[in-house]
Amino acid sequence: MSVPDRLTADCSRCAGLCCVALPFAASADFAVDKAAGTPCRHLQRDFSCGIHAGLREAGYPGCTVYDCFGAGQQVVQVTFGGRNWRDQPEVAGSMFAVFPVVRVLHELLRYLTEAQALPAAAPLSDALDEALAATDRLAAGTPEELAALDVEAHRRSVADLLGRVSDLARAGSPGPDRRGAQLLGARLRGADLRRASFRGALLVGADLHGADLRGADLLGADLRGADLAGADLRDTLFLTAAQVTAARGDTGTRLPPALPRPGHWEAAGRRPSRRRGRARR
């Protein structure tokens, strides 16, 4: 499945919303604290990132795994008609408030678009068409409509439908059901996890080296630091580029065709070994 351009972040048409509207705390993901509504110290006048090429090295790996699913350009160019918080400060509060709402809606649009393309989801095609159209209408709302929207209620409704899609796609020989499971650092090396459900599972630091995840449902799974070296993720359901970027992989990791291989995987593979041994004479 190819991701539509409108659901792909285009920072050149945004106004650095993720660098301003969202808060972050000093941690392994971010070098410093930043309050919501405060511009990141590295945000430039043209809304570009001053350290974009070296975010990981500068202590901001959390920025590299964030995906707004095109919500940034939607809010700036459509919801606010090309205005931005810097030149029109009177819209800043409203813009920052609706950005996370539109981000949720665009994420749902991305999953619904993927679900529509699944042959197994044909029995739910009418429901998927209706859900996608409804979500599209909500995302196109005015700032006032978006601020008043119960986006979590809509997310739950769509999640139920996507769950039914997942059941159809994994029918016949479904794998283990680990929905919402706490699997931090789990040892799953080489495991047969075909058609398993890891929906919303916490797989931070999990060892999935060489695991077979074909057909597995990974919607919302937290893959930060998970070892995907040699793993097979072809035909996984609802896997995003942000999840892949948050994990560790290598040239042997098999990804769905639509997902790019993260550059830091290649860089890690080129690093010289730190193992020491006796020098040969």
Side-chain angles (χ1 to χ4, degrees):
M1 180 208 79
S2 60
V3 180
D5 288 344
R6 68 193 183 98
L7 302 180
T8 302
D10 183 352
C11 298
S12 68
R13 302 182 63 231
C14 184
L17 292 186
C18 63
C19 306
V20 185
L22 307 179
F24 52 71
S27 62
D29 291 323
F30 299 101
V32 297
D33 294 322
K34 189 191 82 64
T38 302
C40 173
R41 64 175 68 175
H42 300 293
L43 185 65
Q44 307 298 292
R45 285 295 304 175
D46 63 354
F47 302 116
S48 65
C49 174
I51 59 169
H52 186 267
L55 282 165
R56 288 182 175 275
E57 295 75 11
Y60 292 83
C63 295
T64 70
V65 301
Y66 179 78
D67 189 350
C68 76
F69 299 98
Q73 67 258 29
Q74 172 74 16
V75 170
V76 172
Q77 302 299 332
V78 180
T79 313
F80 287 88
R83 292 177 289 172
N84 69 73
W85 55 270
R86 182 174 279 155
D87 296 332
Q88 291 87 25
E90 68 275 8
V91 306
S94 179
M95 183 173 279
F96 299 160
V98 304
F99 171 61
V101 175
V102 177
R103 194 261 181 197
V104 170
L105 294 172
H106 271 227
E107 182 178 12
L108 295 176
L109 287 171
R110 189 258 186 235
Y111 294 142
L112 287 166
T113 301
E114 177 179 340
Q116 278 187 321
L118 294 172
L124 296 173
S125 60
D126 289 345
L128 287 168
D129 289 345
E130 183 179 340
L132 196 145
T135 306
D136 242 341
R137 286 194 298 271
L138 293 174
T142 65
E144 294 75 19
E145 290 169 339
L146 289 163
L149 176 65
D150 186 348
V151 72
E152 290 306 316
H154 186 69
R155 188 209 294 265
R156 289 192 295 271
S157 174
V158 172
D160 288 343
L161 176 58
L162 293 175
R164 292 163 60 195
V165 170
S166 176
D167 289 342
L168 287 174
R170 297 181 299 108
S173 55
D177 186 349
R178 306 308 301 273
R179 285 175 290 183
Q182 301 292 311
L183 297 168
L184 285 82
R187 298 179 180 178
L188 298 167
R189 177 174 289 240
D192 182 355
L193 301 170
R194 287 174 293 176
R195 295 191 178 88
S197 178
F198 288 105
R199 178 174 294 229
L202 202 58
L203 286 158
V204 176
D207 182 1
L208 290 160
H209 190 117
D212 191 344
L213 289 152
R214 286 175 292 171
D217 183 347
L218 293 169
L219 192 151
D222 192 339
L223 294 171
R224 286 177 295 165
D227 183 2
L228 298 177
D232 194 341
L233 293 97
R234 292 174 295 172
D235 302 321
T236 48
L237 303 175
F238 310 123
L239 179 66
T240 67
Q243 287 172 295
V244 171
T245 302
R248 295 179 290 115
D250 64 5
T251 55
T253 306
R254 300 181 182 183
L255 295 172
L259 294 182
R261 189 173 300 274
H264 70 278
W265 286 11
E266 307 298 337
R270 291 193 297 269
R271 289 173 190 158
S273 173
R274 295 183 179 180
R275 291 179 295 179
R276 296 179 179 177
R278 295 180 65 181
R280 294 182 179 179
R281 297 183 180 179

